[in-house]
């Protein structure tokens, strides 16, 4: 094979992406905002980056409404009560209460995003939904000017088509429409239509006042607040971008004093605009969405806004709508000011004061109209109450739980509230008061929220924390009295599953046997167990986790009868496998060795003697003698010693002194001596290759040759099947991968002066030739094809890569004709072997493999061969025809390849590709 000459630098340049200069004109996102004097009071905007204002006027100009005249209706009081100056005097007295934003929630706080999917999946509906746009409001009286009336109306409507009502939407259609509004918001913002973006958010917020399909409300809340979150982020980032001064962004913990006047003015106008919204619910939600923007105005802005927003919720009449508004306020509050727990607590206590509204006539009438039962209605509150309590209980002291329990008692031990309290507070706090909670559960009214769900929540806490030892048996008896009376099998098993773990943790096999017997008694009638396989599997898993003595486990009388309930074959097999794995993994000798090796390796990685590399190597030598029977430790030691050699090279910048050269040779010797003691053949092969590369990088050429020779001599020992994670796998794939890596290294390995030309490559080819390959395997040909890639790269005047301070064969031979002739001979031999193999694939059952390999070789010649050579050109044509001969070639691949050849023919010095393309016909499958 005549390899074509390659210019790797020019090829690399040709493959780079084309860079196209962008003309931004006057606009650039990082361009500083300029404030200039204007003769008029109208806003004069260019793009979205610069604004003008009158330097002589004290009134605030609205950058959000360049199309409108006049001032904002709320800007009249701005001059009289500037929030920036008003709160400045209060900062010093409230510093202790207001902490820096750095006191954010930790990773132990479950974020809202993790609850989102569960809510959307749980609260669904088959009823038809509708989206109604905001109605047009009219203002009477002469006190309000026409101009102001127009601006207020613009906030209530969505431009043209806003009066359209979309009826009879399915749940999916409704969700798609909400997503479209979310995208419209982003599009409007990116096109600098800030007022339109605000209108979209207002329209979406209004949907949260609609409870006509009440069972869908929690999911609607999730969808709408996604849009609000997007809007809040866009506004905050917009104002933050205006604070860039001399291209230096504000730090994360910036103070209002470092915010420029333009950004403050824009921020104020956002709040003025939102304050102009007539309806309470959209005004609340939109202001809450941009709560974080108060940071630009005052240090105390957020802490003052939270109580006001909490009070606003008192004006929402529907208790379900109100509790979700409180949940959103907690959500935003935890994000921007988690340290302000007092405001969050007040928010919840407000909810408790209005809790009795849930059972009022208005709600009851609404439920009658929608045919919704009170138990179902109460579950709609769970996501909101759970979230509010999670925010309040986060890192809260135990005394707060005591206060919550007292308030719950004052409300008649409401089951819904009690369940949320047990879900929110730390398991340790709940477990310590288990008997108190049981007393409260007993006194709950069961009509709205079943008691067994309360016991399930208590059981989940007791699975995480232990109650007082003297109370444990009484707790189990009280819980099981309720659980065993449940008639519905699904309710029973959901609750029993949780309490099985408590029983296994704290009691003997006698109590476990009693519980298993009760489960069998409840789940056997009417084959109820068939609908509860996941819960039954969970019970088995918990039992074998805590009773790890298998002689004790099988002495539990009801354990085997319990297994008899798994009558579905696939489930039964899975359960038996789980039991067997637990039995096998009762820490065998191999497990112990593996665990010990992992601990020792962790220790070895931590030991460092700094720049005392000799002491470090001595430590590795001593560790090898101590742990010679732990193979994973030996592997780690070899890697560590190789790393030590490379660190030495780095310190010396590749220029070894006599001392460091001797040291790296000692490192190399350590690896060479240690590798043969390992049992895994591919571990040895890869370590020989890796250690040889390290030796080569440190100019230890004879040692590198020794490693590579050892690898070559080891290849014939590779078995046909190897053990991978306890399963026997064919070794062909692993061998092919190793050899490809080996070829890449051999390119830069210089020939030994006392050995023949390419002695390592020839030795490896002989080994590959003699290796016994599977009859149905083409890996040998694929390896030979990769050898052609290597030999082609070896003919180049300058190789594609080198090892620093090591002369490869391109330097040693300098393109000598004899050297190139030897490579060509090797190429001819390899191609002959490939063609012989292709001939053996002429049988009908192997024609597809023949087609694939022919095309594979054709592409290799196309990429690496000099097709101006007539012999090679004809070979490529023959391979092309062979690939298509029997109709197994992929037509699209052949077409793409031919198009590539035609494209290459237009490049300089590639005109011979034109003739080649004409000789490559495309054949149909027929």
């Amino acid at each position: 094979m005549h390899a074509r000459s390659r210019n790797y630098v020019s090829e690399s340049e040709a493959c780079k992406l084309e860079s196209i200069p962008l003309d931004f004109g006057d606009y650039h996102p990082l361009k500083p905002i300029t404030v200039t004097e204007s003769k008029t009071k109208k806003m004069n905007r260019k793009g979205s980056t610069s604004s003008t204002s009158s330097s002589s006027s004290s009134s605030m100009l609205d950058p959000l409404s360049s199309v409108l005249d006049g001032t904002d209706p709320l800007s009249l009081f701005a001059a009289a009560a500037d929030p920036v100056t008003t709160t400045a005097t209060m900062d010093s007295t409230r510093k202790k209460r207001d902490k820096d934003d750095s006191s954010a929630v930790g990773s132990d706080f479950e974020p809202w995003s993790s609850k989102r999917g569960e809510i959307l999946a749980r609260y669904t509906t088959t009823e038809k939904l509708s989206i109604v746009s905001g109605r047009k409001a009219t203002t009477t009286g002469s006190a309000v000017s026409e101009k102001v009336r127009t601006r207020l109306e613009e906030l209530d409507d969505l431009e043209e088509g806003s009066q359209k009502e979309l009826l009879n939407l399915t749940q999916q259609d409704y969700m798609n429409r909400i997503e479209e509004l979310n995208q419209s918001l982003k599009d409007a913002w990116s096109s600098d239509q800030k007022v339109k973006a605000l209108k979209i958010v207002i329209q979406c917020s209004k949907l949260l006042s609609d409870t006509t399909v009440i069972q869908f409300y929690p999911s609607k809340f999730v969808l709408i607040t996604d849009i609000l979150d997007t809007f809040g982020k866009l506004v905050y980032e917009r104002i933050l971008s205006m604070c860039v001064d001399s291209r230096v962004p504000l730090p994360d913990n910036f103070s209002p004093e470092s915010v420029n006047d333009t950004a403050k003015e824009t921020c104020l106008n956002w709040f003025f605009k939102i304050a102009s919204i007539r309806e309470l619910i959209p005004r609340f939600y939109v202001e809450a969405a941009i709560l974080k923007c108060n940071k630009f105005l005052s240090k105390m802005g957020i802490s003052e806004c939270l109580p006001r927003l909490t009070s606003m919720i008192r004006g929402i009449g529907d208790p379900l709508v109100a509790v979700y508004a409180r949940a959103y306020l907690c959500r935003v509050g935890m994000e921007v000011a988690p340290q302000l727990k007092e405001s969050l607590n007040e928010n919840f206590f407000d909810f408790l004061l209005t809790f009795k509204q849930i059972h009022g006539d208005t709600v009851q009438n609404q439920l009658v109209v929608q045919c919704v039962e009170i138990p179902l209605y109460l579950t709609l509150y769970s996501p909101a109450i759970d979230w509010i309590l999670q925010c309040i209980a986060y890192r809260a002291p135990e005394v707060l739980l005591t206060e919550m329990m007292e308030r719950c008692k004052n409300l008649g031990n409401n089951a819904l509230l009690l369940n949320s309290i047990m879900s929110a507070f730390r398991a340790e706090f709940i477990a310590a008061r288990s008997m108190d909670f049981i007393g409260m559960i007993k006194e709950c009214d069961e009509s709205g929220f079943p008691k067994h769900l309360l016991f399930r929540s208590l059981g989940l806490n007791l699975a995480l924390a232990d109650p007082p030892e003297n109370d444990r048996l009484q707790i189990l008896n009280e819980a099981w009295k309720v659980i065993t009376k449940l008639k519905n099998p699904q309710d029973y098993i959901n609750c029993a599953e949780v309490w099985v773990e408590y029983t296994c943790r704290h009691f003997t096999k006698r109590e476990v046997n009693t519980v298993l017997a009760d489960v069998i008694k409840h789940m056997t009638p009417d084959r109820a167990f068939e609908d509860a396989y996941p819960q039954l599997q969970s019970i088995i898993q918990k039992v074998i986790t805590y009773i790890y003595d298998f002689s004790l486990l099988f002495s539990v009388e009801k354990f085997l009868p319990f297994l008899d309930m798994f009558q579905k074959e696939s489930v039964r097999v899975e359960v038996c496998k789980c039991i067997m794995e637990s039995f096998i993994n009762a820490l065998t000798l191999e497990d112990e060795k593996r665990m010990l090796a992992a601990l020792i390796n962790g220790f070895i990685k931590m030991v460092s003697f700094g720049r005392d590399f000799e002491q470090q190597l001595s430590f590795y030598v001593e560790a090898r003698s101590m742990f010679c029977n732990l193979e994973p430790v030996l592997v780690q030691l070899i890697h560590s010693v190789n790393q030590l050699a490379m660190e030495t090279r780095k310190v010396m910048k590749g220029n070894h002194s006599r001392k460091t050269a001797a040291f790296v040779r000692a490192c190399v010797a350590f690896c060479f001596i240690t590798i043969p003691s390992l049992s895994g053949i591919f571990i040895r092969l890869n370590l020989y290759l890796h250690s040889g590369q390290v030796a080569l990088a440190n100019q230890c050429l004879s040692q590198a040759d020794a490693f590579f020779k050892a690898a070559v001599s080891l290849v014939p020992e590779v078995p046909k099947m190897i053990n991978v994670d306890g399963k026997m796998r064919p070794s062909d794939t692993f061998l092919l991968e190793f050899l490809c890596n080996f070829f890449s290294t051999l390119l830069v390995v210089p020939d030994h002066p006392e050995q023949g030309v390419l002695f390592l490559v020839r030795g490896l080819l002989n080994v590959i030739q003699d290796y016994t390959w599977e009859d149905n395997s083409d890996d040998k040909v694929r390896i030979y094809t990769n050898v052609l890639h290597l030999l082609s790269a070896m003919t180049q005047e300058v190789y594609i890569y080198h090892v620093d301070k090591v002369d490869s064969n391109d330097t040693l031979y300098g393109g000598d004709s004899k050297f190139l002739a030897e490579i060509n001979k090797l190429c001819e031999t390899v191609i002959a072997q490939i063609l012989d193999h292709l001939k053996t694939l002429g049988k009908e059952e192997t024609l597809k493999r023949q087609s694939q390999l022919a095309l594979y070789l054709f592409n290799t010649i196309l990429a690496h061969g000099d097709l101006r050579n007539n012999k090679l050109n004809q070979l490529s044509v023959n391979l092309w025809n062979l690939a298509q001969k029997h109709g197994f070639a992929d037509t699209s691949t052949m077409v793409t390849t031919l198009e590539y050849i035609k494209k290459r023919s237009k490049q300089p010095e590639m005109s011979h590709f034109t003739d080649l393309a004409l000789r490559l016909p495309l054949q149909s499958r027929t």
Side-chain angles (χ1 to χ4, degrees):
M1 181 174 120
H2 293 266
R4 68 182 179 90
S5 179
R6 306 283 292 272
N7 186 328
Y8 293 118
V9 176
S10 61
E11 286 183 32
S12 176
E13 289 295 325
C15 292
K16 285 184 179 178
L17 294 175
E18 183 182 359
S19 59
I20 302 174
L22 297 177
D23 183 13
F24 289 100
D26 292 335
Y27 168 75
H28 192 278
L30 299 180
K31 182 179 178 182
I33 298 167
T34 2
V35 181
T36 57
E37 188 172 358
S38 173
K39 298 288 184 183
T40 67
K41 287 187 180 180
K42 285 189 179 181
M43 296 301 295
N44 195 7
R45 299 173 66 184
K46 193 170 191 178
S48 64
T49 59
S50 60
S51 63
T52 61
S53 63
S54 171
S55 58
S56 59
S57 172
S58 62
S59 63
M60 297 291 183
L61 293 177
D62 187 354
L64 303 178
S65 53
S66 58
V67 295
L68 302 174
D69 256 341
T71 59
D72 191 286
L74 295 184
S75 62
L76 299 175
F77 64 79
D82 182 358
V84 178
T85 56
T86 306
T87 58
T89 57
M90 302 170 62
D91 285 347
S92 59
T93 59
R94 299 178 67 178
K95 277 182 180 176
K96 290 183 180 179
R97 183 181 163 193
D98 239 10
K99 297 179 182 177
D100 189 79
D101 282 348
S102 60
S103 58
V105 294
S107 58
D108 56 335
F109 182 81
E110 186 180 4
W112 172 259
S113 57
S114 66
K115 301 176 181 293
R116 184 181 180 280
E118 181 186 346
I119 295 173
L120 290 174
R122 180 179 177 187
Y123 298 97
T124 60
T125 182
T126 56
E127 295 187 35
K128 297 298 181 182
L129 303 160
S130 63
I131 293 182
V132 186
S133 63
R135 61 181 177 78
K136 206 177 259 289
T138 57
T139 308
T140 58
S142 58
V144 184
S145 68
E146 184 65 28
K147 196 175 296 180
V148 172
R149 183 183 300 121
T150 302
R151 294 183 66 191
L152 289 174
E153 288 174 352
E154 283 204 345
L155 290 175
D156 288 334
D157 297 309
L158 237 176
E159 296 186 343
E160 60 275 355
S162 63
Q163 297 303 305
K164 199 159 134 190
E165 182 176 2
L166 299 176
L167 300 170
N168 296 322
L169 299 176
T170 65
Q171 178 180 321
Q172 189 58 50
D173 292 337
Y174 188 92
M175 293 172 73
N176 292 341
R177 177 59 184 151
I178 295 295
E179 182 55 38
E180 288 173 13
L181 287 171
N182 199 358
Q183 189 57 47
S184 298
L185 166 66
K186 296 174 184 176
D187 293 343
W189 191 273
S190 61
S191 59
D192 204 27
Q193 300 181 59
K194 304 296 189 292
V195 175
K196 181 180 178 182
L198 178 59
K199 292 174 191 172
I200 293 172
V201 176
I202 293 170
Q203 184 203 30
C204 292
S205 302
K206 287 181 180 180
L207 297 174
L208 290 174
S209 61
D210 175 27
T211 57
T212 49
V213 183
I214 202 164
Q215 63 267 36
F216 184 63
Y217 192 84
S219 292
K220 182 198 289 188
F221 171 80
V222 169
L223 297 170
I224 300 299
T225 52
D226 283 350
I227 297 177
L228 288 162
D229 292 343
T230 299
F231 175 72
K233 184 178 179 182
L234 290 171
V235 173
Y236 183 83
E237 290 178 352
R238 163 68 177 157
I239 298 172
L240 187 64
S241 68
M242 299 174 72
C243 299
V244 177
D245 189 17
S246 302
R247 299 196 175 186
V248 178
L250 286 177
D252 292 338
N253 56 344
F254 67 87
S255 63
E257 289 77 16
S258 57
V259 178
N260 59 46
D261 291 341
T262 307
K264 285 183 179 179
E265 181 180 322
T266 303
C267 185
L268 278 171
N269 274 286
W270 273 112
F271 283 109
F272 292 154
K273 181 72 71 178
I274 292 166
S276 303
I277 302 172
R278 285 192 179 87
E279 295 184 29
L280 172 62
I281 289 176
R283 185 167 73 250
F284 163 80
Y285 272 106
V286 180
E287 182 175 354
I290 68 163
L291 180 66
K292 190 176 181 181
C293 294
N294 280 283
K295 290 173 59 177
F296 297 109
L297 302 177
S298 165
K299 289 182 179 178
M300 309 305 300
I302 294 175
S303 59
E304 290 171 349
C305 281
L306 278 174
R308 179 172 56 77
L309 290 170
T310 300
S311 301
M312 285 174 66
I313 300 174
R314 296 172 186 170
I316 300 176
D318 190 310
L320 184 65
V321 176
V323 76
Y324 275 92
R326 296 186 189 282
Y328 187 67
L329 187 59
C330 284
R331 182 166 135 199
V332 176
M334 284 297 286
E335 181 183 345
V336 302
Q339 72 276 9
L340 299 177
K341 282 293 188 68
E342 290 179 24
S343 297
L344 300 183
N345 293 351
E346 288 301 321
N347 183 21
F348 182 70
F349 295 151
D350 260 14
F351 163 70
L352 294 182
L353 292 174
T354 59
F355 191 75
K356 292 182 180 179
Q357 281 183 297
I358 294 176
H359 301 285
D361 292 341
T362 305
V363 172
Q364 298 300 321
N365 294 337
Q366 184 184 19
L367 298 183
V368 170
V369 171
Q370 297 197 36
C371 301
V372 174
E373 297 292 333
I374 188 69
L376 174 61
Y377 175 68
L378 289 177
T379 62
L380 303 179
Y381 284 81
S382 292
I385 298 176
D386 288 350
W387 175 256
I388 295 170
L389 278 167
Q390 179 186 323
C391 296
I392 292 172
Y394 180 64
R395 295 182 181 174
E398 197 168 357
V399 66
L400 182 61
L401 174 59
T402 305
E403 183 180 357
M404 287 293 177
M405 292 173 70
E406 288 301 319
R407 289 179 180 263
C408 188
K409 287 177 183 176
N410 295 337
L411 289 171
N413 290 326
N414 182 272
L416 173 66
L417 184 57
L418 187 59
N419 190 67
S420 294
I421 289 174
M422 288 191 290
S423 301
F425 281 86
R426 288 174 54 185
E428 294 85 352
F429 296 169
I430 304 296
R433 293 169 168 75
S434 297
M435 291 306 301
D436 294 335
F437 277 104
I438 287 175
M440 294 172 71
I441 291 171
K442 285 182 177 180
E443 296 175 9
C444 283
D445 178 14
E446 200 169 9
S447 60
F449 200 96
K451 285 184 181 179
H452 71 268
L453 294 181
L454 297 176
F455 274 106
R456 186 177 191 278
S457 296
L458 179 60
L460 289 171
N461 280 284
L462 296 179
L464 300 173
D466 298 334
E469 189 170 353
N470 294 334
D471 295 338
R472 290 174 185 175
L473 182 58
Q474 188 178 355
I475 291 169
L476 179 61
N477 289 335
E478 293 290 348
W480 211 261
K481 280 181 192 174
V482 176
I483 297 169
T484 195
K485 291 178 182 177
L486 293 172
K487 302 298 182 186
N488 184 300
Q490 205 61 41
D491 290 344
Y492 171 85
I493 196 64
N494 286 336
C495 205
E497 174 202 356
V498 173
W499 281 89
V500 164
E501 183 166 4
Y502 174 79
T503 309
C504 293
R505 276 170 68 105
H506 300 297
F507 299 98
T508 65
K509 72 169 189 176
R510 176 173 169 273
E511 287 79 11
V512 173
N513 190 63
T514 303
V515 169
L516 292 181
D518 197 62
V519 174
I520 295 169
K521 176 184 172 183
H522 278 79
M523 302 308 293
T524 303
D526 301 323
R527 300 178 67 87
F529 54 78
E530 291 182 342
D531 298 322
Y533 282 138
Q535 294 93 330
L536 295 173
Q537 282 181 272
S538 175
I539 290 174
I540 285 290
Q541 185 63 57
K542 288 167 182 172
V543 170
I544 63 178
T545 298
Y546 288 97
I547 306 180
Y548 42 81
D549 182 342
F550 273 74
S551 61
L552 182 63
L553 176 64
F554 285 100
S555 68
V556 176
E557 183 184 348
K558 294 298 180 181
F559 182 72
L560 292 177
F562 190 94
L563 290 178
D564 289 338
M565 288 194 290
F566 295 99
Q567 296 189 8
K568 186 178 179 181
E569 188 64 28
S570 60
V571 179
R572 191 180 185 87
V573 169
E574 197 64 36
V575 171
C576 291
K577 188 195 297 184
C578 178
I579 295 171
M580 288 305 298
E581 285 177 355
S582 178
F583 178 72
I584 292 168
N585 290 328
L587 210 60
T588 63
L589 178 62
E590 286 302 315
D591 292 323
E592 291 180 359
K593 289 172 69 174
R594 193 180 300 114
M595 186 181 296
L596 285 171
L599 292 171
I600 293 167
N601 284 345
F603 172 72
I604 288 171
K605 291 176 187 177
M606 293 173 65
V607 173
S608 172
F609 290 90
R611 285 293 184 90
D612 192 346
F613 290 169
E614 290 183 351
Q615 185 65 33
Q616 189 83 35
L617 181 59
S618 298
F619 167 74
Y620 292 144
V621 171
E622 188 176 350
R624 181 180 62 183
S625 64
M626 292 176 64
F627 306 113
C628 57
N629 60 335
L630 291 176
E631 186 160 309
V633 176
L634 296 180
V635 172
Q636 178 59 50
L637 288 170
I638 293 169
H639 284 303
S640 297
V641 171
N642 277 327
Q643 184 179 356
L644 186 63
M646 293 306 291
E647 286 178 3
T648 306
R649 178 182 182 273
K650 183 179 178 182
V651 170
M652 300 302 294
K653 298 180 180 178
N655 299 310
H656 283 299
S657 64
R658 182 177 297 178
K659 183 178 179 181
T660 59
F663 176 77
V664 294
R665 284 196 295 272
C667 292
V668 169
F670 176 99
C671 297
F672 193 77
I673 293 169
T674 309
I675 293 174
S677 63
L678 304 175
S679 60
I681 189 151
F682 279 103
I683 293 176
R684 279 184 281 159
L685 281 172
N686 285 299
L687 285 175
Y688 274 134
L689 178 58
H690 180 62
S691 301
Q693 292 167 343
V694 171
L696 194 63
N698 284 281
Q699 301 114 52
C700 301
L701 301 184
S702 59
Q703 288 85 351
D705 282 347
F707 278 115
F708 298 142
K709 285 180 183 176
V712 170
S713 63
L714 193 59
V715 169
E717 298 179 23
V718 174
K720 298 293 178 291
M721 305 291 288
I722 58 172
N723 189 312
V724 180
D725 296 330
K727 297 180 181 179
M728 298 307 291
R729 306 279 189 193
S731 63
D732 294 5
T733 307
F734 299 95
L735 183 58
L736 179 61
E737 181 185 359
F738 167 76
L739 290 174
C740 288
N741 289 336
F742 200 178
F743 294 149
S744 300
T745 302
L746 290 179
L747 174 64
V748 293
V749 177
D751 280 345
H752 195 284
E754 297 177 3
Q755 304 286 344
V757 176
L758 304 180
F759 74 102
L760 282 173
V761 176
R762 290 176 186 276
L764 189 54
L765 284 174
N766 291 333
V767 166
I768 295 169
Q769 173 66 23
D770 295 337
Y771 188 79
T772 306
W773 301 89
E774 294 290 340
D775 294 337
N776 60 347
S777 171
D778 297 320
D779 287 332
K780 181 178 180 180
V781 173
R782 296 187 184 279
I783 291 170
Y784 278 150
T785 310
N786 279 286
V787 171
L788 292 177
H789 302 169
L790 168 64
L791 295 174
S792 172
M794 284 182 164
T795 64
Q796 305 304 316
E797 289 186 15
V798 179
Y799 290 172
I800 190 170
Y801 49 82
H802 295 85
V803 175
D804 188 33
K805 296 181 175 57
V806 174
D807 291 333
S808 298
N809 286 339
D810 57 342
T811 304
L812 295 179
Y813 291 107
D816 182 75
S817 57
K818 291 182 181 179
F819 174 67
L820 297 178
E822 287 292 329
I823 292 177
N824 283 334
K825 285 181 184 178
L826 276 178
C827 286
E828 290 174 4
T829 304
V830 170
I831 291 176
Q833 292 282 344
I834 296 173
L835 295 179
D836 287 343
H837 184 80
L838 285 173
K839 289 177 185 177
T840 65
L841 299 177
K843 299 176 184 178
E844 186 175 351
E845 63 272 15
T846 56
L847 290 176
K848 185 174 182 180
R849 288 165 54 196
Q850 185 188 61
S851 172
Q852 292 172 342
L853 289 177
L855 185 60
Y856 189 39
L857 181 56
F858 172 84
N859 286 328
T860 294
I861 295 173
L862 187 66
H864 300 281
D866 184 358
L867 290 170
R868 288 173 295 191
N869 179 278
N870 293 333
K871 190 176 178 182
L872 200 59
N873 193 297
Q874 184 58 49
L875 175 60
S876 65
V877 173
N878 293 343
L879 289 168
W880 175 270
N881 292 331
L882 181 61
Q884 300 183 95
K885 185 175 180 180
H886 299 286
F888 287 103
D890 181 62
T891 306
S892 61
T893 303
M894 306 300 283
V895 170
T896 305
T897 305
L898 191 56
E899 288 175 354
Y900 166 77
I901 293 170
K902 291 176 180 178
K903 185 178 178 181
R904 287 286 305 276
S905 67
K906 298 175 183 178
Q907 296 178 0
E909 300 182 6
M910 289 291 177
S911 57
H912 57 284
F913 270 44
T914 305
D915 298 331
L916 177 64
L918 295 174
R919 300 177 64 198
L920 300 178
L922 283 173
Q923 299 176 7
S924 65
R925 287 184 180 273
T926 57

